[in-house]
Amino acid sequence: MQLSFKSKERSMKRKLFVYMFFLVTTISITLLMGLFLFGRLGTTEQDFHKKLSIQSEYFTKNMENYWDDLASMNIALADNMEAILETTLANQGLTFQQLQDNPNAIYSLENDMIQPLGQYLERSNCSGAYVQLDTTINSTLDNAQTQRSGVYLQKTTMSYSKEDLILYRGIANIGKKHGIMPHRKWRQEFDITLVPDYEELKKGNFDYSLSNIIQLPYTGERIALLRVPLVGKDGTFYGLCGFEISQSWFKFAHPQPSTLNHLTCLLVPDSDSIITNEGFSTGSQNGFYYMPNGDLSIKPIGNNLLRIISKNRNYIGVKNTVKISKNQTYSTYVMILDSDYNRAIVKSNIELFFFTIVLLLFVFLGCSFFSQRYLSPILKGLEQLRKDNKNSMRYDVQEIDDLLDFLSSKDYEVENKMLTLELEMQENRKKLEQIENEHELIQREYDKARVEVERLAKKREADVDEEEYKRFLECLATLTRKEKEILNLYVKGYSSKDILETLNITDNTLKYHNRNIYSKLGVKSRKQLLMYMTLLNNKRS
């Protein structure tokens, strides 16, 4: 019989290809999983969450340090202003209450304060500094109830030089005297209606606090005021002093180093939603950002990311918190445009798709090449083996030559086994004929025995008293479980001694059960009992 190696060739190639494909794919998947577990490979969502989390931690730490430094500077400013105020009053022999309606004393006080105030402003990372006194120059004016004297300086640029300072509130001549020109929206005194919690602040029971965002009068600038109370040693409330932080200043003073496009960073009061008008915003150092407007809602989207929703556009970001003062907690939000986030996901999916296609193509071509490379010499040798009809020639493939040697050795073994099997088959045929003859003889003996049993059963049935046998059958159901168990053992041929050992009972117990069995079934001896049971079993079978 000739073998066709064409079908074998296809089978071997297919199997080897499948095995290699499975092996390479498994190795590739294991490698990708390892990279994923060790953080070298992850989803776009995880990548963005990692970048935004790092950015958020940096921005939050930046805010913590900024407000801590500014608060420390503010407390030092308050101590300096209190010392100047009390020294000036002592030199003039006045009390703080006597400043009311005293232009000369207020002029002298503001003149002493303006230069130190400017020096603190030049050293501070903020847009303005102020000292607001709880007194007024002219209490007879209609609006005197809401007017307070003091000095309010602002920076015109991000520079820290004295030439870039302007006077927003205070006596104009004092400002000019110190080389500080009045603001184009200058006013001499403060309007405390812009500070709705002013009466609460007058109690002076706080270290420092940040005001709500307010619109600076007569300008388009949004600001917040860091405030420290000025309180005398006798508990007199002198006023407030502190620093101004404007949105423009905050934006240019705190740009964040980042590789994220259109990065937006918010600092707002801690709440379940975001009210942009109550906080500050900034962006990245290397690009502009889209400032959200109005109230923003927040929705978790998984991977600890938040979707921040506004009327015009949506954002993806993360949240953190920062303490501004003892009783003020603000939230920091670091976010990017939702459209940039979705675009990056689509790009990542496309790259992953093409990477998968290239990987599969590489695996397919590699498996095909190595399968062909590996099988070609083997298939060539097998084809020669088929044509040469297993002659004694040798081949270039060691496996084929080994196969020839193996087949030659096996041919001899197979011939011997075939001869042995043939002899065994002849012997088994003889044994089978003998067994068939014995079976036929046994069958005849069995038929004779069955006829004899039927005859004896009919004879025994004729000898049985029908009334007693009927009572025996009816009373079988009255036996207890233990009595039935003993009865069955008797039927199986167990002796009394065997039953005692099998059931682990005493001789008296067995006698007791025997009396009950005989009494209930109406039999007088074990012989009669076994005869009735044998008759019953014969009828059942």
Side-chain angles (χ1 to χ4, degrees), residues 16 66 120 215 248 404 468 533:
L16 182 59
Y66 174 69
Y120 272 93
Q215 190 78 29
S248 299
L404 285 174
E468 290 182 357
M533 287 300 297

Side-chain angles (χ1 to χ4, degrees), residues 268-275 278 298 319 321 329-331 333:
V268 294
D270 190 29
S271 176
D272 293 335
S273 61
I274 301 174
I275 304 175
E278 294 183 356
I298 305 169
K319 176 185 177 182
T321 56
T329 301
Y330 273 57
S331 296
Y333 290 90

Side-chain angles (χ1 to χ4, degrees), residues 162-180:
K162 179 179 178 180
E163 290 74 14
D164 296 308
L165 300 182
I166 57 174
L167 182 69
Y168 184 67
R169 292 290 182 267
I171 300 174
N173 290 335
I174 295 177
K176 293 176 181 178
K177 177 181 176 181
H178 291 272
I180 303 173

Side-chain angles (χ1 to χ4, degrees), residues 150 171 231 378:
I171 300 174
V231 181
I378 297 177

